Amino acid sequence: MAHFDENAKPFSNKWLDERIGLNTLKRVLNTEYWIPKDINFLWAMGMVLAATFGILVISGIFLLMYYKPDADLAFDSVNYTIMSEVGFGWLWRHVHGVGASIVFLIIYIHMFTGIYYGSYKRGRELIWLSGMGLFVAFSAEAFSGYMLPWGQMSYWAGMVITNLFSGGSLEAYGLVEWIRGDYVPGDAYLTRFFMLHVLLIPLAIIGLIVLHFGTLRLPHVNNQEGAEIDFDEAASLWKAGKRKESKVIPFSPVFLSKDIFVMGVYFILFFYLVFYHFDFAMDPVNFDPANGLKTPAHIYPEWYFLWSYEILRPFSKDVGLIAFGIAQAAFVFLPFIDRSPNVAPAHKRGLFQIWFWVLLIDMIVLTAMGKLPPTDPTFAFIGLVSAILFLCMGPILVVITMFEKKIEKGA
Amino acid sequence: MEKERRDFMGLSLGLFTAAGSIGALYAMKRTWDPLPSVKAAGFTTIELANAKPNELVVEKWRGKPIFVLKKSADMEANDRDVIVGGDRFHISIGLCTHLGCIPAYEKDNHEFFCACHGGRFNASGINEPGLPPPSPLEIPPFKINGTQLVLGEEGPEYKKMKIDNLIA
Ligand code: HEM
Ligand code: FES
């Protein structure tokens, strides 16, 4: 049997180390998890996301105390009870609403950072794939949460999105009714999306975050030059006290303190929005109770879904669904359709740099067009062109990366 | 010998687990099914005698809006019309066949306009080509009963439309 020191004080470092391998754990996850020095504030976005998820969980727990998952009671439990009766109920609601919106801004920044620096390439494919898993899970979490206040936008977004599962000409209305538990969104629909929002999807998210962190541990995070660092050598320099010469720093406490600084700046902005500008995250149409006999004049999703919504909209039903499906899945394949061997920032990769900015701008244009009503022919045309351009970006990437020149490292 | 016994145990465990999982999955699927009470929420009767020409009335059946539009003399006749007491009616489920928004009736040009993605239907519920909706507004199962319409029941007129492929 293992040896347990009889003199070790209960819960002291030694006592814990003998029982749960505390020191090994600290070494693997903190003090000897090496982070390159050559990175910038964009590398703090991952921990900013983790912290925002934490804030969403905490505010959600307090909302849960008074929320009533019932088609007759839900609207008032949110808009009356939580907003005006519960002490500081408004705070949890605004924190939760602003958090749910801002988390997508940070996710997009985090994703485009990965794309810009080629952080999805050989060795880092699983980081990217688990990240896409998180993106899908967060999208489902945001959608299910949007159902809960049971306002007009909840109801009609629920109607339109669940109808997507009829698969167009496949006419799979049985599947749609199965998902809803009703012919239209109703009580059974609300209670099952409540279950998904407060239990099943958060559990999946927690699991995926653990997986995402796990996939990072061996490849390590990328750096601004995409340099291949000899971590053993750099680590021994650090441990020998040559901290200036070493190319790395330990995750904790050194890198984490930088992360926490960026988080500090982020949370100033976050709480500014919560207290002075929460309305951007609260759609006015959703302050009307759900009414199955009246569609709002103009239905649009929250801003973070607009780009993919705009890819659905300009086409006929079947083509639109196929285009939408491709757009949803496209980013998953990035590690496999980028044929270039170079792990380098976009500005060193020739045509790839143009591709990157065109993609980013195209998605911003799609987002802007998606918010407009479908009546203006000029904007509808711009939307159509941007949607087609988006669909072409995948094949274009394959071609330009096939011909990308290999960058000689160390030059 | 030892190994064979272990393989046997492994195989039987695997088979039991597989059977149990299939059973559990079936139970989960059934739990997500619409409840019998929801499915039975059956029949709605609509009185047509008081309808006014070119004025859309929206009724409710199985949680869905039902369009009832009495056609005026100048509006084009169509095989999809329901004829009650000599008058022509357009009856349909008022959900856009694209993704299910409720189109609005534009009285002046006798058209339904769907604000969600810009779909259009004429006063007989036929979709305008080239726009997102792929098919006409769907006609719900109905039975004519004097001046009344029973929704949810298939009368002879509905069955005939179904054979002629007119309902959607
Ligand atoms: C929303 C939940 C997410 C959390 C909590 C999270 C967390 C993290 C953390 C802590 C890091 C390391 C620090 C950093 O480089 O920023 C990281 C890296 C990374 N994440 Fe995420 N992430 C999330 C979503 C995503 C998504 C949606 C993607 C894109 C598909 C993604 C792709 C990546 C990549 C490629 C890296 C490696 C960056 C590098 O090597 O430089 N993550 N993530
Ligand atoms: S739902 Fe009517 S046009 Fe899309």
Side-chain angles (χ1 to χ4, degrees):
Chain A
M1 201 176 90
H3 175 71
F4 294 97
D5 183 352
E6 36 195 87
N7 299 321
K9 282 218 184 68
F11 302 105
S12 67
N13 200 59
K14 179 155 197 220
W15 190 88
L16 284 171
D17 189 39
E18 283 174 347
R19 282 157 183 80
I20 55 168
L22 188 67
N23 291 343
T24 314
L25 215 59
K26 272 198 209 157
R27 201 154 21 83
V28 173
L29 298 181
N30 290 316
T31 54
E32 294 185 24
Y33 173 19
W34 304 105
I35 306 291
K37 280 181 184 168
D38 185 22
I39 57 179
N40 57 40
F41 77 98
L42 290 168
W43 271 266
M45 294 306 139
M47 289 312 282
V48 166
L49 282 170
T52 310
F53 179 64
I55 296 253
L56 284 165
V57 171
I58 293 168
S59 52
I61 287 172
F62 287 95
L63 291 172
L64 253 176
M65 290 174 61
Y66 290 94
Y67 175 75
K68 294 200 172 68
D70 179 309
D72 291 326
L73 306 174
F75 185 83
D76 284 340
S77 77
V78 174
N79 287 294
Y80 177 68
T81 312
I82 291 175
M83 284 308 284
S84 55
E85 272 204 298
V86 177
F88 285 90
W90 57 269
L91 177 67
W92 307 121
R93 185 170 191 217
H94 290 166
V95 165
H96 208 70
V98 168
S101 191
I102 288 300
V103 84
F104 279 93
L105 178 65
I106 309 293
I107 287 180
Y108 285 132
I109 295 175
H110 188 64
M111 272 176 77
F112 274 89
T113 305
I115 300 176
Y116 191 89
Y117 291 102
S119 308
Y120 49 84
K121 296 200 172 204
R122 187 175 300 125
R124 296 197 177 88
E125 299 94 333
L126 289 176
I127 310 178
W128 181 260
L129 293 177
S130 57
M132 281 314 293
L134 278 166
F135 181 72
V136 172
F138 265 88
S139 302
E141 180 69 358
F143 173 73
S144 56
Y146 201 58
M147 298 298 106
L148 302 185
W150 212 237
Q152 272 292 67
M153 273 298 184
S154 307
Y155 185 93
W156 288 100
M159 181 75 117
V160 170
I161 299 296
T162 46
N163 264 339
L164 293 177
F165 290 90
S166 68
S169 296
L170 300 178
E171 306 212 348
Y173 291 108
L175 176 63
V176 174
E177 282 161 20
W178 182 73
I179 293 171
R180 291 176 184 160
D182 202 336
Y183 300 106
V184 290
D187 202 54
Y189 173 90
L190 180 59
T191 48
R192 67 188 51 184
F193 276 87
F194 173 70
M195 175 282 288
L196 291 174
H197 186 73
V198 305
L199 183 68
L200 193 56
I201 303 174
L203 275 183
I205 288 177
I206 292 168
L208 283 165
I209 291 179
V210 172
L211 177 65
H212 195 58
F213 285 13
T215 57
L216 267 163
R217 183 61 185 79
L218 295 184
H220 291 85
V221 298
N222 196 4
N223 53 74
Q224 290 196 88
E225 294 302 317
E228 250 180 66
I229 294 174
D230 182 340
F231 281 91
D232 291 333
E233 185 198 275
S236 51
L237 277 175
W238 176 276
K239 284 196 267 188
K242 297 193 175 145
R243 300 190 165 189
K244 264 221 168 82
E245 291 83 350
S246 177
K247 285 189 179 153
V248 297
I249 52 175
F251 173 70
S252 170
V254 187
F255 179 62
L256 200 56
S257 59
K258 292 174 190 272
D259 263 349
I260 289 172
F261 172 76
V262 177
M263 268 186 230
V265 175
Y266 163 76
F267 278 121
I268 291 173
L269 172 74
F270 183 88
F271 284 104
Y272 165 74
L273 292 174
V274 167
F275 290 115
Y276 299 104
H277 219 80
F278 53 84
D279 44 320
F280 84 95
M282 307 262 139
D283 196 289
V285 181
N286 222 20
F287 287 94
D288 292 329
N291 180 352
L293 295 186
K294 188 167 163 277
T295 325
H298 173 205
I299 297 189
Y300 44 82
E302 289 289 276
W303 71 267
Y304 39 85
F305 293 142
L306 284 171
W307 68 269
S308 52
Y309 182 69
E310 185 59 19
I311 289 173
L312 171 79
R313 201 164 67 161
F315 301 107
S316 68
K317 186 166 175 174
D318 284 336
V319 180
L321 276 176
I322 293 167
F324 181 74
I326 293 174
Q328 293 307 303
F331 282 102
V332 174
F333 298 104
L334 198 55
F336 309 104
I337 60 176
D338 183 338
R339 316 293 305 164
S340 144
N342 295 321
V343 182
H347 61 259
K348 294 204 170 155
R349 288 181 58 191
L351 285 176
F352 179 83
Q353 181 182 16
I354 300 171
W355 181 88
F356 174 89
W357 290 110
V358 170
L359 177 68
L360 185 61
I361 292 166
D362 191 45
M363 285 179 71
I364 294 172
V365 172
L366 283 168
T367 301
M369 296 303 123
K371 182 83 190 189
L372 298 169
T375 33
D376 186 310
T378 321
F379 290 133
F381 181 71
I382 296 175
L384 177 68
V385 173
S386 322
I388 292 172
L389 177 62
F390 182 89
L391 294 172
C392 294
M393 288 306 270
I396 291 175
L397 180 70
V398 176
V399 174
I400 64 174
T401 52
M402 245 165 23
F403 295 105
E404 192 175 305
K405 275 212 201 71
K406 187 155 170 57
I407 300 172
E408 293 305 330
K409 281 286 157 69
Chain B
M1 185 63 214
E2 265 291 288
K3 184 171 177 302
E4 268 168 33
R5 273 177 63 182
R6 245 199 326 264
D7 283 352
F8 173 74
M9 306 266 280
L11 187 67
S12 17
L13 178 67
L15 285 176
F16 271 100
T17 318
S21 312
I22 291 170
L25 278 177
Y26 178 71
M28 291 172 191
K29 188 264 171 198
R30 289 280 289 106
T31 300
W32 277 72
D33 277 350
L35 300 177
S37 59
V38 166
K39 289 196 123 165
F43 308 98
T44 305
T45 305
I46 303 176
E47 176 59 60
L48 296 178
N50 315 324
K52 295 194 189 69
N54 199 25
E55 227 164 79
L56 184 73
V57 179
V58 182
E59 303 278 350
K60 194 172 173 178
W61 169 71
R62 291 188 182 170
K64 296 176 182 173
I66 299 295
F67 286 165
V68 178
L69 178 66
K70 183 170 174 175
K71 290 194 170 176
S72 53
D74 60 326
M75 284 158 81
E76 208 181 312
N78 188 285
D79 288 345
R80 289 162 51 92
D81 292 346
V82 178
I83 300 164
V84 175
D87 290 320
R88 293 182 163 272
F89 288 87
H90 166 68
I91 310 281
S92 63
I93 299 179
L95 296 176
C96 182
T97 51
H98 181 223
L99 288 172
C101 295
I102 303 180
Y105 186 58
E106 298 179 339
K107 245 178 148 164
D108 300 335
N109 51 8
H110 302 170
E111 272 188 337
F112 293 97
F113 173 62
C114 180
C116 284
H117 316 98
R120 282 188 178 277
F121 304 86
N122 69 16
S124 303
I126 313 280
N127 54 306
E128 215 169 273
L131 296 172
S135 54
L137 293 172
E138 192 184 334
I139 298 176
F142 66 88
K143 195 179 139 197
I144 301 171
N145 209 346
T147 59
Q148 291 183 331
L149 209 59
V150 182
L151 297 179
E153 211 174 315
E154 301 194 358
E157 291 84 358
Y158 177 79
K159 284 190 179 137
K160 178 159 187 312
M161 283 188 189
K162 207 165 158 183
I163 292 165
D164 297 343
N165 249 331
L166 292 173
I167 52 170

